[in-house]
Amino acid sequence: MQGMKYRIGLILFSLISIGQPVFAEVDLLIRNARVVDGTGSPWFLSDVAIADGRITEVARHLDRTAHQEIDAAGKVLAPGFIDVHTHVESSPNSAGLKELPGADNYLLDGVTTIITGNCGSSEIDVDDWATSLKGLGLNVATLIGHNSVRREVVGLDNREPLPEEMAQMRALVKKAMQDGAVGFSTGLLYVPGTYAKTTEVVELAKVAAAHGGVYATHIREQGEKLHESITEAVTVGREANMPVQISHLKVKGRTRWGSIGTALELIESYRQNGVDVVVDTYPYDRASTNLGVNLPRWAVAGSATDISSRIDDETMHSRIVSGMKEMLKDGGYPDYSFASVAQYLPDPSYNGRTITEINRLVERSSTIENEIETILEMMVEGGHAGVTQGASMIYHYMSEEDVDAILRYPNAAVASDGSAVEFGRGQVHPRSYGTNARILAKYVREKKVLTLEDAIRRMTSLPARTFSFHDRGIIRPGMIADLVLFDPSKVIDKATFEDPHQYSEGFDVVIVNGLVAVKDGNLNDVRGGSFIRHGATN
C-alpha cells in the first residue's frame, strides 16, 4: 500500500512539475499493458492515457473515460521506434517521402520517427523540402549532407574548395540548421565527399555545432583503415565540439571478420575520455550501396560522362582494373559473387543476380578480369540511364558474429539504412521492411543477444538522446504519444534477400502523435506524422 501511494505521488509530482494537465476524459486509453518504457528499466504493468497527442498519465487502473480504448491484454507497449539512419529523399533509383509519404514499410515495422539526410546526401533547402511533404504517415527529421552541399558548390571534382566556395558551403549549412536540420552528415566513402580533407569537414561541422547539431558520419573506410576512420570522426567531433554518431558500424571484408572488437574498444576508449560518440547498426550481414564503390575513388570523380571517359581510355582503364583487383584481394573475395544487383535501370533482368551470374549471363567466361569488365560496362550504361554510380547493389560485407558483437555494445542504436519503398519495386534490401522486427525476433527472442528492455532502449531513448528529441523515446507523462503495441513472442520480420517485399508481422498497434496509424496489424487511413525541426517545440 505504501509503495502504491509513493507511485501515485511520483506520477502527480511529474504531472505538476511539467505542467501537464490531468484530463477527466482522454482521447485514447490503453489498458493492461506491459510497459517497456524505453529507458532500459524492467517492464511494469500499467494503463496509459493520451490526450492532445501526448501521454497524460501512466498508472495502474486509471479511472478515466476515453473516446477510444485499447485493451493491451498484457502485450508490450513501447515508445515508437526511432530509426536514426534512413534515406527518404527521391532519387533515380528509388521513390522518397514526396512520392510515398505514408512510409508504410516503416509504420508496419513499428517505426514512428525517422532521420534522413545520412551519408552526406540530403535535401539542401530544408525548409522548402519540409513544406513540400504532405500527408506524412510518420515523423521525419533531416540532417544536412556534406556531399550534397559540396556538389552544389564545388561539383563532383576531385579538388579542394576555393575560399569563396568554403564560404558558400558554410552559408548553406547554416541556413539548413536555421531551418531545422538536426545535424551535419558526411559520406566520406562517396563522391564528392571522399575528396574532402578532414579540415574541410571540421570547418563545416562547426557551423552545425553552433546550432546544436549532431555529426553523423559514414566514415571514410570500413576495412583496412577502419580505426583511422573512427579516429577521424572523433577528431571532427572534438574540434567542432559536437556529439558524434558513427553510421552503420561494420568491418568489411572476409579477411577482417572477427576483428570488430578492437574497433568497439577504440570507440569506448574515446567515450571514457569524454567524447560523446555513439554508433548505429543494422541487423544484417549484407550492406547496400552503389556499384561505383568497387572502383578506385579517383576513377569515379565528376559526371557519368567523366567516368565513362576514364573507362574508355586505355591507360586509365588498365589502372582501374588493377585497382579493382587489389580491392577485391584486400577484402578476401575470390570473385564478385558477394555483390548482387538491387536496381539496374538499363536492364531490370539483372535485378537480384550477382555480378558473377550476370557475367555468365552476358556469355563471358568466369574470370576476375571478365567480371570487372562486366562491372565497368554496367557503370557506363547505368550512367547513360542517369545513375552516375551505375546501379544500386547489395554486398555481403560482414559476418554474423561481428553483427552480434556490435549489437552487444551498449551504445549501439538500431538503424535500417533503408528507404520508403514502393511495394514490389526492385530487389531492395530487406532492412527497409524488417529491421526492428528482426531485432526483436532474432536477436532478442531467438539468439538472446539483447534483452527486450535493452533492445527497446536502442530503438527509442538512445536515438532520442543523440538527436535531442526531448519529448520522444520514453513512455512518461508529458511525452509525445508515439507508441507501438506488440506481442514479443509473435513479432517477426518476413522480408528476405530473395523475397524482400514483405511487411513485418506482429505490431498490432502503432500510434503516431496520438493517432492510431496501425490497428490490429493493419494500416488505418490516418496520417499523423510531422516534420521535426531541431529546437522546435513539438
Side-chain angles (χ1 to χ4, degrees):
M1 187 66 181
Q2 186 66 28
M4 183 176 290
K5 287 181 178 178
Y6 172 79
R7 187 170 184 80
I8 292 171
L10 182 61
I11 291 169
L12 290 174
F13 173 79
S14 298
L15 293 172
I16 293 168
S17 65
I18 63 175
Q20 183 69 21
V22 177
F23 291 80
E25 184 177 56
V26 296
D27 298 325
L28 177 61
L29 184 59
I30 303 171
R31 294 196 181 276
N32 307 313
R34 187 168 17 139
V35 175
V36 179
D37 67 4
T39 66
S41 299
W43 63 265
F44 57 91
L45 292 174
S46 185
D47 297 345
V48 175
I50 297 166
D52 293 342
R54 291 184 181 266
I55 298 168
T56 59
E57 292 175 276
V58 180
R60 292 292 298 275
H61 311 305
L62 285 173
D63 185 16
R64 296 282 176 267
T65 58
H67 294 292
Q68 182 181 3
E69 280 198 18
I70 295 173
D71 184 0
K75 293 178 181 177
V76 166
L77 183 68
F81 305 143
I82 300 172
D83 191 331
V84 298
H85 193 106
T86 71
H87 299 273
V88 295
E89 300 81 12
S90 304
S91 72
N93 266 9
S94 65
L97 280 189
K98 281 188 178 181
E99 298 82 7
L100 299 167
D104 297 346
N105 54 304
Y106 282 117
L107 277 178
L108 290 170
D109 199 38
V111 177
T112 58
T113 300
I114 56 176
I115 299 163
T116 192
N118 285 283
C119 295
S121 294
S122 72
E123 298 287 345
I124 294 177
D125 191 329
V126 170
D127 187 59
D128 180 70
W129 188 61
T131 303
S132 74
L133 297 176
K134 308 296 183 184
L136 290 172
L138 41 58
N139 307 303
V140 59
T142 189
L143 299 147
I144 178 64
H146 171 233
N147 285 358
S148 297
V149 168
R150 199 180 210 270
R151 184 183 299 111
E152 179 75 8
V153 176
V154 180
L156 298 172
D157 297 338
N158 182 1
R159 66 174 178 84
E160 292 187 45
L162 301 172
E164 57 267 31
E165 291 173 331
M166 275 302 304
Q168 290 175 344
M169 288 195 288
R170 284 195 300 268
L172 287 175
V173 173
K174 180 179 180 179
K175 182 179 185 303
M177 294 302 300
Q178 290 173 332
D179 287 344
V182 294
F184 177 64
S185 79
T186 55
L188 298 177
L189 173 67
Y190 301 122
V191 175
T194 190
Y195 307 128
K197 293 183 178 179
T198 307
T199 50
E200 175 186 325
V201 177
V202 169
E203 190 168 347
L204 295 175
K206 285 179 177 178
V207 178
H211 295 268
V214 178
Y215 176 55
T217 177
H218 179 135
I219 56 179
R220 201 175 292 270
E221 234 271 26
Q222 297 169 322
E224 180 184 7
K225 297 181 179 179
L226 173 62
H227 294 70
E228 292 176 34
S229 299
I230 290 170
T231 297
E232 181 185 30
V234 168
T235 298
V236 173
R238 272 180 167 162
E239 295 192 15
N241 192 26
M242 67 197 304
V244 178
Q245 173 92 17
I246 296 177
S247 300
H248 42 57
L249 180 68
K250 64 176 71 71
V251 58
K252 288 167 50 177
R254 292 181 178 181
T255 54
R256 299 180 185 86
W257 286 357
S259 65
I260 193 66
T262 57
L264 292 169
E265 289 170 2
L266 177 63
I267 291 166
E268 185 58 24
S269 72
Y270 284 123
R271 283 199 63 81
Q272 294 298 322
N273 282 288
V275 179
D276 185 357
V277 53
V278 295
V279 307
D280 63 64
T281 190
Y282 45 78
Y284 299 88
D285 61 4
R286 300 182 214 183
S288 183
T289 186
N290 61 59
L291 183 63
V293 298
N294 295 287
L295 279 67
R297 295 297 80 201
W298 63 266
V300 289
S303 67
T305 301
D306 294 329
I307 296 169
S308 295
S309 296
R310 294 188 194 101
I311 292 172
D312 290 339
D313 179 272
E314 185 176 346
T315 302
M316 288 190 176
H317 187 103
S318 179
R319 285 181 61 199
I320 292 169
V321 171
S322 178
M324 291 176 70
K325 285 183 177 179
E326 189 61 36
M327 291 167 68
L328 197 65
K329 179 182 177 181
D330 179 68
Y333 296 107
D335 53 32
Y336 286 95
S337 59
F338 71 97
S340 61
V341 175
Q343 185 85 357
Y344 181 59
L345 294 185
D347 190 345
S349 72
Y350 286 12
N351 296 349
R353 300 178 188 267
T354 68
I355 293 297
T356 301
E357 292 169 338
I358 294 168
N359 184 67
R360 289 196 295 264
L361 186 68
V362 298
E363 299 182 344
R364 286 194 173 106
S365 58
S366 298
T367 66
I368 296 300
E369 290 78 11
N370 282 342
E371 290 187 7
I372 288 174
E373 293 305 323
T374 296
I375 290 173
L376 296 180
E377 283 186 5
M378 291 174 64
M379 286 291 297
V380 172
E381 293 304 315
H384 292 335
V387 183
T388 305
Q389 298 295 317
S392 293
M393 303 291 294
I394 295 174
Y395 298 104
H396 188 182
Y397 278 152
M398 300 88 77
S399 72
E400 280 279 356
E401 292 74 21
D402 286 341
V403 173
D404 290 358
I406 298 169
L407 284 171
R408 287 191 179 98
Y409 179 58
N411 299 311
V414 173
S416 69
D417 198 7
S419 58
V421 294
E422 181 180 344
F423 194 87
R425 182 190 179 198
Q427 197 72 11
V428 301
H429 196 299
R431 64 194 183 189
S432 289
Y433 283 95
T435 290
N436 296 280
R438 185 175 178 85
I439 287 287
L440 296 170
K442 181 173 182 177
Y443 292 92
V444 173
R445 191 170 68 230
E446 296 174 17
K447 299 181 73 172
K448 296 179 172 51
V449 170
L450 298 169
T451 65
L452 176 63
E453 287 86 352
D454 195 39
I456 298 300
R457 181 184 66 84
R458 312 295 192 89
M459 298 187 279
T460 58
S461 68
L462 177 57
R465 175 217 76 102
T466 302
F467 289 91
S468 298
F469 298 156
H470 301 301
D471 51 4
R472 301 178 194 270
I474 298 175
I475 296 179
R476 184 173 294 162
M479 304 295 275
I480 289 176
D482 291 339
L483 301 165
V484 58
L485 182 71
F486 63 95
D487 183 341
S489 70
K490 294 181 179 178
V491 67
I492 190 167
D493 60 310
K494 305 289 287 185
T496 64
F497 288 100
E498 296 72 27
D499 187 10
H501 292 284
Q502 300 188 77
Y503 294 120
S504 296
E505 293 181 358
F507 295 111
D508 301 301
V509 177
V510 179
I511 298 169
V512 181
N513 294 317
L515 300 177
V516 179
V518 174
K519 179 75 179 295
D520 298 326
N522 298 309
L523 289 163
N524 279 342
D525 188 20
V526 172
R527 299 292 178 88
S530 63
F531 187 86
I532 302 175
R533 297 180 192 265
H534 179 71
T537 302
N538 297 305

